[in-house]
């Protein structure tokens, strides 16, 4: 069974940082674009960022631009989301998803991770 697993979430104070990881099992991420989404209770899932298979960050949501950075290490079969200057409104479950192709084409999702909780609170 193919699997995508997020890790690195947790409780952090406002202004703090976390780095989320998205690791693939039983398949390779090297030829796939990968995105990060989040969903807070009662809210729609929000697309945050996406990175092409070649490692080019092609999208950041306005809500996270300048604070979050997406990157990838294909040798480790992992995509990362570095989150800095976290705010309480960043509290959500964070998900990664592979796209069906090498570029970030809206709606062309393939494999979703199970999500990791990020809580920003003092």
């Amino acid at each position: 069974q193919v699997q995508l697993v997020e890790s690195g979430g947790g409780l952090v104070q406002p202004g703090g940082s976390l780095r989320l990881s998205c690791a693939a099992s039983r398949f390779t991420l090297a030829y796939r674009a990968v995105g990060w989404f989040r969903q807070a209770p009662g809210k729609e899932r929000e697309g945050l960022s996406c990175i092409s298979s070649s490692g080019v960050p092609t999208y950041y949501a306005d809500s996270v631009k300048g604070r979050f950075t997406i990157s990838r290490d294909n040798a480790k079969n992992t995509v990362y989301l570095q989150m800095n200057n976290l705010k309480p409104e960043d509290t959500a479950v964070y998900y990664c998803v592979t796209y069906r192709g090498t570029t970030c084409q809206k709606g062309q999702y393939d494999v979703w991770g199970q999500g990791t909780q990020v809580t920003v609170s003092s």
Side-chain angles (χ1 to χ4, degrees):
Q1 185 93 331
V2 299
Q3 191 174 27
L4 204 60
V5 178
E6 303 94 336
S7 62
L11 176 65
V12 64
Q13 293 186 338
S17 298
L18 288 172
R19 188 179 74 160
L20 305 183
S21 297
C22 173
S25 298
R26 302 181 186 89
F27 72 102
T28 181
L29 294 178
Y31 302 108
R32 300 170 180 262
V34 178
W36 284 96
F37 288 72
R38 68 185 180 190
Q39 188 166 26
K43 295 186 177 180
E44 295 294 319
R45 189 165 295 188
E46 177 188 14
L48 302 177
S49 187
C50 189
I51 189 167
S52 73
S53 64
S54 64
V56 178
T58 58
Y59 174 77
Y60 287 106
D62 288 342
S63 58
V64 304
K65 192 174 298 181
R67 299 188 298 121
F68 290 12
T69 303
I70 193 169
S71 63
R72 68 189 302 152
D73 186 340
N74 286 341
K76 296 181 178 179
N77 214 23
T78 301
V79 172
Y80 304 97
L81 186 68
Q82 179 67 45
M83 307 187 297
N84 297 327
N85 191 25
L86 285 162
K87 306 176 184 297
E89 53 262 42
D90 295 319
T91 296
V93 177
Y94 284 69
Y95 301 88
C96 61
V97 61
T98 66
Y99 289 71
R100 295 188 180 276
T102 60
T103 58
C104 306
Q105 300 186 50
K106 186 178 180 180
Q108 301 301 303
Y109 312 125
D110 191 5
V111 182
W112 289 88
Q114 85 291 343
T116 186
Q117 177 71 48
V118 172
T119 302
V120 185
S121 177
S122 59

